[in-house]
Structures are given as C-alpha cells and as structure tokens.
Amino acid sequence: MNATSLPDAFQRDPHATPGPDSVWFLFDGHRLILTARQDLPTGPAAPLPVTDTSGLGYLDGRTMFTAALDRGALEGAALDGGLPGGYVSVPVRSAFGTLGDTLMGVAGYASQILDFHRMHRYCGRCATPMQDSAHERSRVCPNCGLTAYARVAPVAMVLITRGHGPDTELLLARGPNFPPGMYSAVAGFVEPSETLEAAAHREISEELGVTVTDLRYAFSQPWPFPHSLMIGFMARYRAGEITPQPGEIEDARFFPVTDLPTLPPRFSIARALIDQAAQDALKP
C-alpha cells in the first residue's frame, strides 16, 4: 500500500453510522481538522458542529470512519474566522508523516467523498436537489434519474531515461510553481477518447518536444489533490531537442542518476519512479 491509497483492511460502507469508537475526518473547506496533539477527533459524535456528514466505512470490521464538512460553523461568523481552541486545520498533503499510511489513505478518500457531495448538491441536468443512492456511492436525481459518481481524473506520468548502468540519465522537468530547485517526471491529464499510452506520448511531445520508445507501465497511485489517479510509466529517450513548453515547463534537462537535483517527496509516485530507475541503474 502507498500513502495515498486505501488500506486493504478498509471496508467501504456509505451507510455506516457513528458509534462509540468513531474516528472523524473533519474538513474546514479542503483543510483537514486535527486536535492540538495532531490526532484525528474520535467519539460517538462530531466534536464540532458539522453538516454533510457521510459514512465512509470500517477498518478491520471494527472501527467506524465518518467524514463531515461544516462550511458555516467552521468558516463562518460563529467561529469568528478561526477554529475553536484545541484544534488546528492543515492541508491534507501536510498530514503525511503525521497520520501514518493507513489513516492518510482514508483521509484522502474522505476529502474526495466530501468534495463529491459539495459538487453534486443539485442535478446538473434539471437542478433538482440530489439524493444519496440507497445501494452504492453515488448521488441520484429524484426528478430525472441522473446518477453521478465521484470524479476521478486519470493522469499519465512518464519518467524518461537514456544510457545504461551508472551512466543512466533521467529527463526531469520543473513547473513554474515548483519549490526552488525541484525537478520531477512529466505528467498530464488524459483527454476524452484517449488511451493512457497516447496521452503519455502527447504530453512528452507537447511539454518537452522529444519522442520516446519502449513506453511501459510501472505502477499507479491515487492522488486526492483533489481527485486524480496517477498512472506511472517508464520510457526510453528516442530523439529530439528538449524544448520546454512555455507556461508549463520552466526548465527541463537530463540529470545523471549519480547527481540528481531536489526531488518530489517520497510519498509521491514521481519520486517512486525516480528512485526505481536510479536503483535499477546502479545495481551491481
């Protein structure tokens, strides 16, 4: 399991109801609410006024997970613009290393389920208030019958290599909003009626101006920021001069595996691709 995927022991149940041992994933907008001790709130009821409560499921068949969002009470005048004492709100991504992989995976799931509810309050076809389905995780329009599911946006990510063994180089790029000095693999959203492979080749051509060969699937990672599924590929450089796409790529170049720049955090699929390529290149 990686740090953004649901644990194997997690049992989805949209109709789960709070119990004495409930663990609450509460959100202030898109920020996760923790106690002052950096723990998730627990108990038979939410410790703060909440709305949009949604059952998530159980862990090992015992522990209840419930998510809730309180737009008014957490963000409105009643709180005078801030959280009550004893709580902090943090970006979900910053909770890595604090919650551990199991709870972090559920936190990512909870944030996406709540976003799904926020974005599907009303039917997109006839504007009737939507209702939760009685038998699955979806929202249904009682007027026209439209059924909506939580959005998942696939992203193709490609790590490009050239050379062999300790002479291997990785083609890494940085976007204009990256932290100073950080480089990563290139990635882009899959467009309608496009295969994952076609999206990978298109993004490489658009963002870097090069072509690749030997494109092969490596692994995937749920990325709930806010609702992506990252599909990781490896590829070999074929030809072309690196030409960064204006507005998308600030800089791109080949780096020796023995002298890599600042890289994405270890919980990311980009870092996993890079680490795997470096490990393979430096094998005795």
Side-chain angles (χ1 to χ4, degrees):
M1 186 191 107
N2 63 55
T4 58
S5 65
L6 284 170
D8 293 338
F10 181 76
Q11 302 173 21
R12 296 175 181 83
D13 183 356
H15 306 296
T17 55
D21 299 322
S22 292
V23 177
W24 293 81
F25 293 82
L26 308 180
F27 290 83
D28 180 359
H30 289 93
R31 295 171 66 89
L32 179 66
I33 297 173
L34 302 175
T35 68
R37 299 177 58 184
Q38 301 289 295
D39 294 323
L40 291 164
T42 60
L48 302 171
V50 294
T51 188
D52 286 349
T53 300
S54 178
L56 297 177
Y58 302 87
L59 189 66
D60 289 330
R62 297 187 300 273
T63 304
M64 157 75 62
F65 288 93
T66 299
L69 167 76
D70 184 352
R71 271 183 162 178
L74 293 179
E75 298 180 1
L79 292 177
D80 196 20
L83 288 170
Y87 295 94
V88 295
S89 67
V90 300
V92 178
R93 194 180 310 204
S94 70
F96 284 103
T98 299
L99 296 183
D101 285 1
T102 296
L103 294 180
M104 194 62 224
V106 181
Y109 177 64
S111 69
Q112 292 177 90
I113 294 303
L114 290 173
D115 189 61
F116 168 57
H117 276 259
R118 280 194 297 262
M119 300 301 291
H120 292 85
R121 295 184 187 279
Y122 301 95
C123 177
R125 185 157 59 193
C126 71
T128 300
M130 300 284 273
Q131 299 176 351
D132 287 333
S133 168
H135 63 278
E136 64 179 359
R137 178 74 73 183
S138 65
R139 306 215 78 190
V140 181
C141 176
N143 181 51
C144 71
L146 178 72
T147 299
Y149 296 90
R151 175 184 175 187
V152 177
V155 176
M157 172 173 283
V158 189
L159 178 64
I160 303 168
T161 68
R162 73 177 180 187
H164 299 279
D167 295 325
T168 298
E169 294 179 306
L170 310 183
L171 179 46
L172 304 177
R174 58 174 283 104
N177 297 318
F178 279 22
M182 193 183 86
Y183 285 74
S184 184
V186 296
F189 287 102
V190 179
E191 295 186 354
S193 296
E194 188 174 48
T195 66
L196 295 173
E197 294 82 0
H201 282 287
R202 175 181 54 77
E203 285 295 332
I204 292 167
S205 176
E206 290 176 353
E207 295 193 352
L208 301 177
V210 303
T211 60
V212 298
T213 187
D214 193 23
L215 181 74
R216 58 199 186 280
Y217 170 78
F219 36 75
S220 64
Q221 180 183 34
W223 195 247
F225 308 112
H227 44 60
S228 296
L229 174 64
M230 313 296 289
I231 300 98
F233 292 90
M234 297 282 195
R236 299 286 297 175
Y237 170 77
R238 172 185 283 168
E241 181 178 348
I242 299 174
T243 307
Q245 183 180 17
E248 292 289 331
I249 303 297
E250 186 177 86
D251 184 39
R253 65 183 81 168
F254 279 102
F255 291 89
V257 291
T258 55
D259 188 21
L260 294 173
T262 301
L263 300 174
R266 292 190 179 277
F267 60 77
S268 68
I269 187 173
R271 181 61 177 271
L273 287 167
I274 293 168
D275 286 349
Q276 183 64 60
Q279 179 181 329
D280 291 345
L282 298 174
K283 282 181 180 177

